[in-house]
Amino acid sequence: MTEIRKLDLAWLGLVALSVIGATLGGRPDTGFGVTVLVALVMGLKVRIVCDRFLELPTARRGIRLAMHGFCYGMPVLVILTSAFGDTLARLTGALI
């Protein structure tokens, strides 16, 4: 498979994941399960962009590790914020 073909497939995958994420997030019953699915979609999209469009596999090890931390850290933070939003709001409100 050519490199252009791989990029085309990655782009189509991003479009499909965007539609799936918008469909899941736009539902009226946004429970914790929906939050987990949206975070999973977000993680997949970030990983595709990093690997295919930012050429992360060819980057230095430190940059690659930082970006992987971001790729997997942001969805985890979304899930934690959804699960413990009220507690985090109280804690951050007390700091200000």
Side-chain angles (χ1 to χ4, degrees):
M1 186 178 306
T2 66
E3 214 40 51
I4 297 295
R5 180 75 173 153
K6 288 179 185 178
L7 287 176
D8 289 343
L9 290 175
W11 184 257
L12 289 173
L14 285 172
V15 170
L17 287 170
S18 294
V19 170
I20 291 169
T23 303
L24 289 173
R27 293 175 35 166
D29 55 338
T30 56
F32 186 70
V34 173
T35 302
V36 171
L37 288 174
V38 169
L40 178 66
V41 168
M42 182 177 75
L44 288 172
K45 286 172 60 175
V46 171
R47 186 63 192 253
I48 289 171
V49 169
C50 287
D51 285 347
R52 296 290 174 201
F53 297 102
L54 298 179
E55 298 180 4
L56 191 62
T58 62
R60 290 186 329 172
R61 188 173 195 273
I63 293 172
R64 201 169 48 243
L65 288 174
M67 286 304 295
H68 283 163
F70 175 78
C71 289
Y72 298 118
M74 290 307 292
V76 169
L77 289 176
V78 167
I79 292 169
L80 289 175
T81 302
S82 178
F84 304 108
D86 295 333
T87 305
L88 289 173
R90 275 196 319 274
L91 289 173
T92 56
L95 294 175
I96 295 177

